[in-house]
């Protein structure tokens, strides 16, 4: 496995190294029928052409992902090289891992920011989105805190709903799959008043049996049922003003997490007598207002509200007796307001903005052990304020200087039920400097220095921690990147090399039995290489591949008598990537085959427990029966590879990897 990934990385790097210099002088042709399409990405909160934006970014069509059985964020592993998720095993909760950095689930923050239609998700809880009626998914790698704020420490994942542009359409979808999977989807977009008012509605119901046998109940322990709903309304007001209202709701009615004891003798079999469930509900709403002035200025206002109710109970003794279990009843609410003003001065582009945010979290954590039932209850509130600016200035025709800075102030308070209230405040400056050089019309390179930040907070998971605070985590990053087109624009390439230094790194410390808390006890260094290539062989055949190599090590990390300095960071694979071939034929027929691989990851700071590395093959095909009907089929994890996380929760739990899944979906456009 190591040799195969190393060979693939070497092959890509060698091809770029040997080929790029020889083609810089080539004349580009515009009459090729196999040209790759120009994609756009919303970097720096402005739409830009992907091939020339000075950041390592990727974008995927959401409908294509759905046809391939990728129906949520957690399944994006293998599509975006370098992106993975902690093996947590609960629907609606995803802790992203990017460039070797991630966040502990209990921190109520993430190292990679999720934005859905302008609504930020700042926690692993609720870090999910359905792809029904979604246009595209974008990912920006590297610190983005200057423009996007805290928790964009190493990147941003943005999800955009389909435009309300007056194209009236309705789509129905029905699907079935393995483990009695059932999918019902519906989406419609309609013009209510011509050139003035547009609306959209969409919904999805997904049900699937589990694969973990519960020998106590005789049923599957991990059955799943999800309900998703979204609505949009767009008003083109007079005088160049555009209002867009979006609402989303995601509901979960699941059984247990994909957990079992790390010492279990039989895979995917538990004997739980305690009821385990996930009854979480997430809702988001946003109002996006844009006004173009006659003088060329663009004013934008985004008001967003995110409400996630994390309602979970999980058996932890995995026996018929009700001896041990944990539960959460968290209500996480975030209200944010952002104002932006942007314009041009000659060939220079500028943006200034202000951001205000309020969080109100009600936190109840319960745990049952041999000594009885314990509950920790607290209310945590926070207020955040920020001013930011970003400028893009041409120094000459082929060199552009891009810079920005963000000044932020955060105040966090916690009021435990049985303890004194506490408060902390932090102020930070996060700058970014980029120098972009256009080698010629088809090739460019860039160099970036950027700083990222992840929010601080309070410990709420252990009574022994006494609700102690921890400071924000800070990241200083240097990145060099190359992008371009080769072979008469049939091939796009992107290569990024980076080095990051993390200060005040937030880590989980366990200095004694029963004492668990987050603290700023570590420093770390992360360095890596990311490469991607997309190539159209001809009108029918295309290939895409991407590989990410990362090395993240603790420079300093002392936990009581344990010294973890030099160890690998948790949940961070040293390498992952994919190789995908696609065929697009006549009459709407297409097929794709993808090889996805990842190195193993450690589950603890001591590097004792790990999740296995894996190589899986995914297949998909689509066929247009008529102009308005289509049938899609997919098989993910064809080789039924098992890559369980054995030793999660400091050696106590195994989190099972999902088995092979296949499905067929029929869609009808009305």
């Amino acid at each position: 496995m190591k040799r195969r990934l190393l060979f693939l990385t070497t092959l890509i790097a060698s091809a770029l190294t040997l080929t790029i210099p020889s083609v810089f002088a080539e004349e580009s042709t515009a009459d090729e029928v196999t040209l790759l399409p120009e994609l756009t990405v919303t970097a720096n909160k402005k739409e830009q052409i992907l091939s020339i934006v000075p950041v390592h970014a990727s974008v995927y069509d959401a409908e294509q992902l759905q046809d391939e059985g990728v129906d949520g964020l957690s399944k994006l592993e293998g599509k975006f090289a370098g992106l993975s998720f902690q093996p947590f095993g609960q629907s609606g909760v995803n802790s992203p891992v990017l460039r070797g950095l991630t966040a502990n689930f209990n921190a109520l923050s993430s190292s990679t920011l999720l934005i859905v239609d302008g609504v930020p998700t700042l926690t692993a809880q609720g870090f999910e989105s359905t792809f029904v009626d979604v246009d595209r998914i974008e990912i920006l790698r590297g610190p983005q805190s200057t423009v996007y704020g805290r928790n964009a420490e190493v990147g941003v994942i943005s999800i955009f709903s389909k435009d309300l542009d007056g194209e009236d359409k309705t789509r129905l979808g029905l699907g079935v799959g393995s483990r009695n999977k059932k999918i019902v989807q519906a989406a419609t977009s309609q013009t209510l008043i011509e050139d003035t008012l547009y609306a959209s509605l969409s919904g999805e119901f997904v049900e699937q049996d589990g694969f973990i046998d519960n020998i106590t109940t005789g049923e599957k322990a991990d059955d799943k049922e999800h309900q998703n709903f979204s609505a949009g309304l767009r008003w083109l007001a007079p005088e160049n003003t555009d209002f867009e209202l979006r609402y989303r709701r995601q509901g979960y009615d699941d059984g247990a997490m994909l957990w079992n004891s790390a010492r279990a003798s039989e895979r995917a079999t538990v004997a739980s007598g305690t009821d385990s469930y996930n009854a979480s509900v997430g809702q988001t709403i946003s109002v996006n207002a844009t006004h173009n002035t006659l003088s060329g200025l663009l004013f934008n206002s985004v008001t967003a509200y995110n409400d996630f109710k994390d309602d979970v109970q999980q058996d932890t003794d995995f026996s018929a007796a009700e001896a041990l279990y944990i539960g959460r009843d968290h209500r996480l609410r975030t209200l944010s307001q952002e104002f932006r003003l942007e314009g041009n001065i000659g060939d220079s582009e500028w943006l200034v903005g202000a951001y205000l945010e309020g969080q109100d979290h009600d936190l109840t954590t319960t745990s049952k052990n041999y000594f009885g039932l314990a509950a920790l209850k607290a209310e945590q509130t926070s207020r955040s304020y920020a001013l930011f600016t970003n400028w893009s200035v041409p120094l000459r025709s082929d060199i552009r200087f891009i810079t920005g800075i963000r000044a932020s102030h955060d105040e966090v308070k916690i009021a435990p039920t049985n303890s004194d209230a506490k408060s902390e405040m932090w102020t930070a400056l996060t700058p970014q400097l980029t120098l972009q050089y256009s080698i010629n019309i088809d090739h460019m390179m860039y160099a970036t220095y950027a700083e990222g930040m992840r929010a601080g907070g309070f410990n709420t998971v252990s009574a022994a921690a006494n609700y102690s605070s921890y400071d924000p985590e800070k990241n200083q990053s240097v990145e060099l990147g190359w992008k371009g087109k080769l072979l008469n624009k049939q091939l796009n390439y992107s290569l990024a090399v980076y080095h990051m230094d993390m200060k005040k790194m937030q880590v989980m410390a366990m200095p004694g039995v029963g004492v668990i808390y987050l603290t700023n006890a570590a420093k770390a260094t992360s360095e890596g290489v990311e490469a991607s290539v997309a190539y159209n062989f001809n009108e029918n055949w295309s290939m895409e591949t991407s590989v990410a190599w990362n090395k993240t090590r603790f420079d300093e990390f002392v936990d009581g008598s344990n010294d973890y300095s030099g160890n690998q960071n948790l949940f961070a694979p040293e390498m992952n990537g994919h190789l995908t071939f696609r065929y697009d034929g006549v009459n709407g027929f297409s097929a794709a085959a993808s090889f996805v691989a990842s190195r193993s990851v450690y589950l603890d700071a001591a590097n004792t427990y790990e999740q296995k590395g894996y190589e899986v093959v995914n297949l998909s095909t689509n066929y247009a029966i008529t102009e308005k009907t289509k049938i899609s089929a997919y098989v993910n994890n064809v080789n039924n590879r098992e890559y369980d996380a054995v030793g999660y929760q400091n050696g106590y739990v195994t989190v099972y990897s999902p088995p092979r899944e296949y499905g067929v979906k029929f869609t009808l456009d009305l």
Side-chain angles (χ1 to χ4, degrees):
M1 173 56 197
K2 295 180 181 178
R3 292 178 179 176
R4 276 183 286 183
L5 283 174
L6 181 60
F7 173 75
L8 184 57
T9 307
T10 305
L11 182 63
I12 293 175
S14 300
L16 293 176
T17 303
L18 295 174
T19 309
I20 293 172
S22 65
V23 299
F24 279 160
E26 285 184 359
E27 292 294 330
S28 299
T29 61
D31 56 352
E32 299 290 338
V33 295
T34 56
L35 298 184
L36 286 163
E38 284 285 12
L39 302 174
T40 60
V41 65
T42 311
N44 295 327
K45 297 196 174 180
K46 300 175 66 173
E47 282 199 357
Q48 301 175 12
I49 298 175
L50 176 64
S51 60
I52 64 173
V53 64
V55 63
H56 191 196
S58 302
V59 58
Y60 266 94
D61 178 81
E63 184 175 332
Q64 178 181 329
L65 290 176
Q66 280 205 93
D67 290 341
E68 296 174 5
V70 180
D71 54 5
L73 286 180
S74 60
K75 293 186 179 180
L76 288 180
E77 293 187 27
K79 286 298 180 182
F80 295 97
L83 174 68
S84 57
F85 294 92
Q86 292 184 23
F88 190 70
Q90 177 190 333
S91 300
V93 176
N94 292 299
S95 294
V97 186
L98 189 62
R99 292 193 170 178
L101 293 190
T102 187
N104 187 280
F105 165 80
N106 297 301
L108 298 181
S109 66
S110 62
S111 59
T112 299
L113 182 66
L114 172 65
I115 298 180
V116 182
D117 293 328
V119 181
T121 296
L122 301 167
T123 65
Q125 298 91 326
F127 203 103
E128 184 58 282
S129 176
T130 177
F131 294 161
V132 177
D133 209 31
V134 166
D135 177 54
R136 67 191 188 278
I137 296 95
E138 301 177 358
I139 179 171
L140 307 179
R141 300 172 178 87
Q144 306 293 327
S145 292
T146 301
V147 174
Y148 289 89
R150 60 195 177 92
N151 294 10
E153 182 185 14
V154 285
V156 175
I157 299 175
S158 297
I159 297 178
F160 298 88
S161 294
K162 290 185 177 179
D163 292 334
L164 296 167
D165 54 6
E167 181 183 356
D168 294 351
K169 51 186 179 293
T170 299
R171 170 168 289 186
L172 303 177
L174 295 174
V176 294
S178 54
R179 307 202 313 274
N180 200 28
K181 187 173 185 177
K182 305 178 186 67
I183 303 173
V184 179
Q185 297 175 337
T188 185
S189 180
Q190 300 294 321
T191 300
L192 303 183
I193 302 177
E194 190 71 29
D195 298 325
T196 303
L197 195 63
Y198 310 96
S200 68
L201 292 173
S202 65
E204 178 186 47
F205 174 83
V206 181
E207 184 180 68
Q208 187 175 32
D209 294 342
F211 64 92
I212 302 175
D213 292 316
N214 187 340
I215 61 175
T216 297
T217 64
E219 300 176 349
K220 299 295 183 181
D222 57 318
D223 292 345
K224 298 188 183 304
E225 182 181 308
H226 303 165
Q227 311 91 32
N228 306 305
F229 173 78
S230 64
L233 186 67
R234 184 185 182 192
W235 175 36
L236 296 178
E239 301 181 357
N240 299 319
T241 303
D242 190 343
F243 291 95
E244 193 169 290
L245 171 68
R246 295 280 186 179
Y247 172 78
R248 284 182 174 272
R249 184 186 187 277
Q250 298 186 87
Y252 304 90
D253 188 8
D254 292 358
M257 301 181 194
L258 308 184
W259 285 17
N260 199 357
S261 169
R263 296 173 296 279
S265 59
E266 187 174 357
R267 187 181 187 274
T269 300
V270 298
S272 294
T274 304
D275 186 27
S276 296
Y277 59 83
N278 173 15
S280 302
V281 176
Q283 299 182 84
T284 65
I285 187 169
S286 65
V287 180
N288 192 323
T290 303
H291 177 66
N292 286 284
T293 68
L294 296 178
S295 60
L297 297 178
L298 176 66
F299 173 77
N300 179 251
S301 168
V302 180
T303 307
Y305 178 68
N306 192 331
D307 183 346
F308 190 79
K309 181 176 175 57
D310 187 26
D311 186 5
V312 178
Q313 181 171 288
Q314 174 63 42
D315 180 32
T316 54
D317 59 69
F318 308 106
S319 67
E322 189 174 280
L324 306 172
Y325 67 83
I326 57 175
R328 297 190 308 273
D329 187 5
H330 292 178
R331 185 76 179 272
L332 310 175
R333 290 162 291 208
T334 302
L335 177 64
S336 63
Q337 173 65 59
E338 182 178 87
F339 299 104
R340 297 198 310 272
L341 184 66
E342 56 187 85
N344 298 79
I345 301 176
D347 293 330
S348 298
E349 302 172 355
W350 58 268
L351 177 150
V352 295
Y355 180 80
L356 302 92
E357 175 192 284
Q359 290 188 331
D360 187 1
H361 299 336
D362 293 323
L363 310 173
T364 300
T365 303
T366 57
S367 60
K368 172 72 165 54
N369 57 34
Y370 298 107
F371 302 102
L373 183 66
L376 293 177
K377 296 184 179 182
E379 180 181 352
Q380 180 171 297
T381 60
S382 68
R383 300 294 180 264
S384 299
Y385 315 92
L387 297 173
F388 61 93
T389 185
N390 193 77
W391 292 73
S392 179
V393 181
L395 302 182
R396 63 186 200 188
S397 60
D398 57 348
I399 298 178
R400 183 170 284 267
F401 179 61
I402 304 164
T403 184
I405 192 168
R406 187 184 193 95
S408 59
H409 178 76
D410 299 321
E411 300 175 0
V412 184
K413 299 179 181 179
I414 190 167
T417 300
N418 299 315
S419 184
D420 295 334
K422 299 181 179 182
S423 64
E424 291 282 359
M425 62 178 61
W426 299 279
T427 300
L429 293 175
T430 49
Q432 178 179 339
L433 303 170
T434 298
L435 195 63
Q436 180 180 358
Y437 172 51
S438 298
I439 301 171
N440 60 26
I441 193 173
D442 288 334
H443 305 276
M444 60 84 75
M445 61 184 301
Y446 64 89
T448 295
Y449 170 82
E451 295 186 8
M453 185 185 72
R454 181 151 59 88
F458 289 92
N459 280 281
T460 62
V461 297
S462 173
N466 195 29
Y467 299 98
S468 59
S469 64
Y470 50 89
D471 292 333
E473 181 175 291
K474 298 182 179 180
N475 171 21
Q476 296 176 321
S477 171
V478 177
E479 178 177 340
L480 299 176
W482 296 264
K483 289 185 175 184
K485 304 174 182 179
L486 300 170
L487 304 177
N488 293 328
K489 299 185 179 182
Q490 290 178 233
L491 183 148
N492 287 351
Y493 71 88
S494 179
L495 178 67
V497 181
Y498 61 87
H499 175 92
M500 302 190 302
D501 290 314
M502 281 70 68
K503 311 296 183 184
K504 295 187 176 182
M505 195 172 184
Q506 297 173 10
V507 291
M508 182 68 78
M510 291 174 283
V513 178
V515 181
I516 302 174
Y517 63 94
L518 285 166
T519 183
N520 305 99
K523 296 180 181 179
T525 300
S526 175
E527 54 192 15
V529 180
E530 298 162 341
S532 60
V533 173
Y535 178 56
N536 273 0
F537 296 97
N538 51 45
E539 292 182 348
N540 302 116
W541 286 96
S542 61
M543 178 273 291
E544 181 183 16
T545 184
S546 59
V547 175
W549 173 83
N550 172 268
K551 180 181 178 181
T552 302
R553 297 289 186 271
F554 295 119
D555 298 325
E556 299 177 13
F557 185 5
V558 177
D559 179 15
S561 61
N562 300 311
D563 189 348
Y564 303 133
S565 302
N567 285 6
Q568 184 174 328
N569 192 26
L570 285 69
F571 307 113
E574 286 197 340
M575 186 174 290
N576 64 12
H578 77 100
L579 174 63
T580 301
F581 289 94
R582 184 177 176 88
Y583 174 78
D584 291 282
V586 296
N587 299 325
F589 174 77
S590 66
S594 182
F595 172 79
V596 179
S598 176
R599 291 281 296 273
S600 61
V601 299
Y602 288 113
L603 307 175
D604 65 325
N607 290 180
T608 302
Y609 307 104
E610 67 178 329
Q611 180 184 32
K612 299 177 183 177
Y614 61 86
E615 315 89 35
V616 300
V617 176
N618 302 323
L619 303 175
S620 63
T621 184
N622 300 276
Y623 178 68
I625 303 172
T626 68
E627 290 185 358
K628 294 183 178 294
T629 58
K630 181 179 71 173
I631 188 169
S632 307
Y634 70 90
V635 184
N636 288 337
N637 194 3
V638 173
N639 47 334
N640 204 24
R641 185 74 159 87
E642 297 175 3
Y643 45 98
D644 302 337
V646 182
Y648 188 67
Q649 297 287 323
N650 202 32
Y652 191 77
V653 170
T654 288
V655 183
Y656 291 126
S657 61
R660 177 194 301 119
E661 179 176 314
Y662 53 86
V664 178
K665 186 173 72 171
F666 174 82
T667 56
L668 170 65
D669 293 323
L670 300 178

